Amino acid sequence: LDQLAPDEARILRTLAEHGPQPVVHVEVRGRLGTRTGRRTLARNQGRLGPDAGCRYPERVEVYLDNLERLGLVRPATEEAADDDAYEILSVQPSVVEALRDAREQGGRGRVVRASVGLTALGGDFVEVCVGG
């Protein structure tokens, strides 16, 4: 429990109550003839922080990294069921800014749909420690 921030507990409770949540990542590919590798400019962009009532919603990416390290959440490449949610996420300021950064770096930005949800351990943890 000492390794959890209060906002992380809020995220866990939200995932327990509402199931896996949609997120998007912004990837960039280098121009032909230059870097052909793919890099991620922004990860786990979504509404999870505000929807969970996080005090510091801009830190959700860090929170999710910690929760994944603890084995409580899992990133998934499968999309959540709500297509409209992804349309909304694609125009979030952080996503638009990452796409602009990709263009400025001479690459092509791409929005990748994903989701984040609880692991079995995460579900048990919420039930026992956070209250679900």
Side-chain angles (χ1 to χ4, degrees):
L1 281 172
D2 348 338
Q3 296 181 33
L4 272 180
D7 277 351
E8 291 169 335
R10 290 178 183 100
I11 289 169
L12 291 173
R13 180 176 290 139
T14 298
L15 291 173
E17 290 174 357
H18 302 288
Q21 296 297 298
V23 295
V24 296
H25 313 299
V26 178
E27 294 180 346
V28 63
R29 286 183 178 232
R31 277 195 233 170
L32 224 47
T34 62
R35 287 198 334 179
T36 57
R38 201 176 349 172
R39 290 179 296 126
T40 302
L41 294 179
R43 292 181 42 240
N44 294 324
Q45 302 299 302
R47 298 277 318 144
L48 188 53
D51 291 350
C54 289
R55 260 183 104 181
Y56 304 102
E58 69 280 359
R59 297 192 43 81
V60 167
E61 186 176 338
V62 175
Y63 295 151
L64 289 174
D65 285 345
N66 187 47
L67 293 170
E68 184 179 354
R69 176 188 68 84
L70 294 170
L72 302 175
V73 301
R74 58 152 181 77
T77 53
E78 55 280 347
E79 296 178 18
D82 188 1
D83 255 357
D84 291 338
Y86 288 107
E87 295 302 319
I88 293 167
L89 296 182
S90 294
V91 296
Q92 293 292 311
S94 59
V95 173
V96 171
E97 183 179 330
L99 290 168
R100 184 175 40 247
D101 289 347
R103 281 191 305 276
E104 288 173 1
Q105 295 174 23
R108 196 179 96 225
R110 167 175 97 105
V111 175
V112 178
R113 294 177 175 193
S115 63
V116 63
L118 292 176
T119 62
L121 174 64
D124 290 346
F125 180 86
V126 170
E127 192 174 311
V128 172
C129 300
V130 178

